[in-house]
Each structure stands twice: as structure tokens, then as C-alpha cells.
Amino acid sequence: MRKKSENNFIKIMQIRAFCMTAEQGAASLAALNLFRTQSAITRSIRDLEHTLAISLFERHARGMLLTDLGKIILPRAQSAIRELNRIPALLSRLQQRDDRNSEALEPIWLFNDRRLQIFLSLYRQHHTLRVAKALDITQPAVSAALKVLEKGAGMKLFHRTPKGMMPTPAGHEIAPCISRALNEIRHIPEDIAAHKGALTGAVRVGALPLSRARILPQAAIKLISRHPDIKIVTNEGGFTALLAELRAGDIDFIVGALRHEEKVLEIHSELLFGEELILLTRPNHPLSGRALKNEELRNIQWVLPRNHAPSRHLLEQSFHNMGLESPKPVVESGDPAVVRALLLGSDMVAAVSSHQLDYEVTQGILIPLRVSLAGTRREIGLMTRQGALHSPATDALMNCIREVISETNESGTESSYL
């Protein structure tokens, strides 16, 4: 039995017909360009209008003109089609073929929403039975869809292993384009709702450690109080994993420490504020309450960021500039709960972002030591995919984050901000 929601799902072939009709200004011309009958194009547009419950075109004797709502969703629809049209050229390069026709020919084998859903589900879950259950279809249907995709691609997209169906290099290459295309289509109803005055849908945020204590929670409270129909989903993975999800359109933006030392291609960074590392201890720690000399930082039991973290490198460089050996950790952790418990139960000292345990510091639960860690300043901000069309809810949450930063600056309650 099919799920009820499938009957109202936006179909890629409908999006294709809509985009071409908008470009040509007439269903007859769109039909010629897409090698379909005019009645098929007209039916696709009518079905899309029914699914979205709006009018996309005004019909005139001189052609079809976009309505205001048609103009609003057109850029996102075109973006989805562009993502799919990129795939043949990507596969040609992977096969080291100089196929100059690959960019001119439309990949019709990709213009099936269910087929693409099956591909992504298999890409993530690796087992046809799991995919079939997740999508409420049969295993033969999964296999049939994969067969069509691999025939269209001209190469294997998955190979069988003891761990399941694992993506080939070609599967890895096309997955981000497919994910971005489906995510663009998913946002279309949200664009329409926003035009009518209602913000809906889900915002998916990559939350790096420096954003979790105050920035993101306060921004989320602001957004939900204004638009209660919005859902916020956070992902607390590592930066590399979050970056891959951002490029695939599976998260809408990342908030946290900006990366400059790495080659972060196709990513736009927006600076929000800067801050330095601080050293935290429990109240009444033997080193608290007075200015420290550099030599007193020797022979400490350290709780430090993980070895690969950018903040760890900055801390070690700061110690080097003070003529000290790099601090040796007894515990490496980026989990605020773990750091808090270690400090409260011992004489350990933690080097953390001044934002990471902000609540504990402002409430006096943990105490900063009076020492300057010169050269550990980091830039905190938003990272988005260049050229991405943000959903209205995503824009609203990023604006709320900017408001939180602005209000904090104005109140002057945190010296760590710019």
C-alpha cells in the first residue's frame, strides 16, 4: 500500500515542464523543446498546480505568463533541474571520457522522484530491505530502480560487500547533486507558505561546539516564539561530516568556529564575532583569584580539546610563544558536560572557548584563571553553501542568530564578543 503523501508529491517531470514553459512562454514551445506532446506538458503543469494548490501561469492568447507565485518558485525549480543536468558531465569526467554531448543531453533517467529517493536511501542505508521498508515498497522495486539508474549512468553506482550495498566512486560523485535537487523541491511548498505569510518547514543546522551553549538555543527560542510551525533540527557531528552534509544540502548552514586554514571550497563564511580561549577551574582552585605567571602553567593536569581541533593548535602555539612546552592533556574532550564534571571534581584545568561553558562562567560555577592566552583568537560565524537558495525558515533562523549577537554586544555582558 502506498503512503498517502506520495499522491501529493511534487514530481520532477512536472518541475521540468514548468521550467521549460516559463522559459519559452508557451506550452507548445515547451513541448517542442522537451520532445513531448503539448497535452502532456499542459497536464504536467495542471497536476503541479493542483499539488501546490496555486496558479503558476496566467493563460493568454499570446502565451503563458508566470503568476507572482510562479515567479517565486521558479528559481528553486530551475536549481533542482540544473543539479540533475550536471550529473552526466560528472560521470563523463569520472570515466575520463571527453563526451561533449553529455551537457547538452538531458538525463531523463534521473527525472523520477521515487527513483532518486531510492538511490539516496540506499546510499545512506546500504541494504535494499531497509530501503524497501523505509519507502514502503518492495525489494524488487528497489532493484529495478537501481537497474534503470545504472543503465542511464553507464556504470555501476553500488557494489555488493559484506557490509551491504556500498557506493562506487560514481555513486559518491552523483549523490550530492541528487540530494540538493530533492532538497530544493522539498522547499517549494515552504516558499509558497512564506509568500502567504506563514513560515513552515524544518531548518537543519550543523551545530559546532561553540554555538551550542547560548547562541543557537537563544536564536531557536526567538524563532519558535515568532513562528511556532517551524521545526529546528540540529546535527552535532564533526566539522568534516557537517561540511559534506552542507554541500549535499542535507543541512542548511553551519554555525561555529570558521575555518580558514582548510580548503573549504564552495562555502561562504559570515563572521559574527571573535573570541579567545580561556582557562577554567572550579571555584577556590589553588591557582584562582590572582594573576598568574607563565611558569605556573607547568605541571597542571590539563583537560584539552582533541588533538585535531583548531583550538588545540592555537593553544599550543600560545604556549610556545610564552616559552612553555605544549600542555599535555590527561583528558581530551569537547563535551561541555564532561569538562564541567571533571573541573568540579578535581584540580584539573580546562582550556576552552569562552563561549563553550558560558552559563557556568556567568553563574560562577566555574572560574576563569587570570592569564592571557595571546594568539588564540578565533572567528565564530555562519557557513553556507555558495549560491544556495535558503528557505524562508532558514533565513529567519540565521537572522535570529544575528539578533542574539547584536543584543549581546549592546548589553556588553560578554567581553568575548567583538
Side-chain angles (χ1 to χ4, degrees):
M1 180 181 295
R2 293 186 176 182
K3 296 179 181 179
K4 293 181 180 179
S5 60
E6 184 180 343
N7 295 329
N8 294 320
F9 194 80
I10 300 172
K11 294 179 172 56
I12 296 173
M13 290 297 280
Q14 296 171 354
I15 293 293
R16 176 174 174 255
F18 164 66
C19 290
M20 185 57 71
T21 303
E23 177 183 327
Q24 297 296 323
S28 58
L29 296 177
L32 288 173
N33 279 272
L34 298 179
F35 303 102
R36 299 180 69 194
T37 65
Q38 182 174 343
S39 61
I41 297 296
T42 302
R43 184 169 57 252
S44 288
I45 293 173
R46 184 178 65 245
D47 290 345
L48 180 59
E49 291 178 321
H50 177 74
T51 298
L52 298 175
I54 62 171
S55 294
L56 295 170
F57 293 98
E58 296 177 357
R59 279 76 170 173
H60 300 278
R62 62 182 183 276
M64 299 176 69
L65 301 178
L66 284 168
T67 63
D68 289 342
L69 281 170
K71 293 175 183 177
I72 285 173
I73 73 169
L74 180 61
R76 199 176 296 283
Q78 290 173 326
S79 178
I81 298 299
R82 277 196 304 270
E83 291 290 352
L84 297 179
N85 283 338
R86 290 179 56 200
I87 288 176
L90 294 176
L91 294 174
S92 293
R93 286 196 290 271
L94 194 63
Q95 294 174 307
Q96 297 182 334
R97 291 188 292 110
D98 185 16
D99 188 353
R100 300 183 180 181
N101 292 325
S102 62
E103 295 185 11
L105 297 176
E106 283 193 302
I108 300 299
W109 51 280
L110 287 168
F111 292 163
N112 181 288
D113 41 273
R114 176 58 86 187
R115 202 176 292 153
L116 300 188
Q117 289 172 337
I118 290 171
F119 170 86
L120 283 184
S121 187
L122 188 59
Y123 182 82
R124 293 161 179 163
Q125 300 192 60
H126 311 307
H127 293 276
T128 56
L129 180 58
R130 293 179 190 171
V131 171
K133 288 182 177 180
L135 298 178
D136 196 20
I137 56 178
T138 64
Q139 276 187 278
V142 175
S143 299
L146 180 57
K147 185 176 181 179
V148 172
L149 289 171
E150 291 187 328
K151 182 179 180 181
M155 55 200 308
K156 287 288 185 182
L157 300 176
F158 294 89
H159 55 84
R160 293 186 181 277
T161 74
K163 295 182 179 180
M165 300 286 286
M166 304 305 292
T168 64
H172 282 297
E173 187 74 15
I174 71 174
C177 291
I178 291 175
S179 180
R180 287 194 293 266
L182 291 182
N183 279 311
E184 292 287 23
I185 294 172
R186 175 175 59 85
H187 285 313
I188 286 176
E190 299 167 17
D191 291 337
I192 295 170
H195 181 75
K196 296 179 179 179
L199 260 62
T200 61
V203 187
R204 294 170 172 82
V205 186
L208 293 171
L210 303 188
S211 68
R212 299 174 198 161
R214 173 172 292 191
I215 301 171
L216 187 54
Q218 288 190 350
I221 291 170
K222 281 181 176 290
L223 180 64
I224 294 170
S225 67
R226 298 169 184 172
H227 307 285
D229 291 332
I230 288 177
K231 180 173 74 172
I232 299 171
V233 181
T234 66
N235 185 331
E236 293 78 25
F239 178 74
T240 301
L242 292 180
L243 186 60
E245 292 192 54
L246 180 63
R247 285 175 170 150
D250 292 330
I251 58 176
D252 299 304
F253 65 93
I254 300 172
V255 56
L258 302 179
R259 263 60 170 182
H260 297 294
E261 70 281 3
E262 301 180 40
K263 294 182 179 179
V264 186
L265 301 177
E266 301 175 357
I267 301 301
H268 172 74
S269 297
E270 176 187 340
L271 173 64
L272 295 175
F273 63 92
E275 63 176 8
E276 295 181 345
L277 294 177
I278 59 174
L279 301 182
L280 288 184
T281 66
R282 63 174 176 81
N284 301 318
H285 188 279
L287 297 179
S288 65
R290 58 186 174 83
L292 299 182
K293 297 179 180 178
N294 292 349
E295 291 73 18
E296 293 182 274
L297 298 180
R298 305 180 193 272
N299 302 319
I300 285 176
Q301 289 187 312
W302 291 103
V303 180
L304 299 182
R306 294 185 181 89
N307 189 50
H308 58 78
S311 56
R312 177 74 171 271
H313 172 74
L314 293 175
L315 179 68
E316 291 174 347
Q317 186 62 44
S318 180
F319 268 58
H320 176 75
N321 294 339
M322 290 188 286
L324 301 174
E325 293 184 1
S326 297
K328 306 299 182 185
V330 294
V331 177
E332 290 185 352
S333 178
D335 187 329
V338 171
V339 175
R340 181 194 311 113
L342 289 170
L343 298 187
L344 292 176
S346 72
D347 282 340
M348 295 182 189
V349 177
V352 301
S353 156
S354 57
H355 235 78
Q356 196 167 351
L357 289 159
D358 173 72
Y359 176 80
E360 287 79 0
V361 172
T362 56
Q363 297 299 312
I365 299 170
L366 296 175
I367 305 296
L369 293 181
R370 292 173 58 186
V371 60
S372 174
L373 299 176
T376 62
R377 188 172 184 81
R378 302 181 68 191
E379 295 180 335
I380 314 302
L382 302 173
M383 285 163 275
T384 57
R385 184 166 51 87
Q386 286 185 355
L389 299 172
H390 300 142
S391 71
T394 296
D395 275 332
L397 180 56
M398 290 195 295
N399 284 333
C400 285
I401 290 174
R402 296 181 186 106
E403 286 182 31
V404 169
I405 302 304
S406 177
E407 291 168 0
T408 306
N409 287 339
E410 291 175 1
S411 66
T413 55
E414 292 192 42
S415 59
S416 59
Y417 282 131
L418 288 175

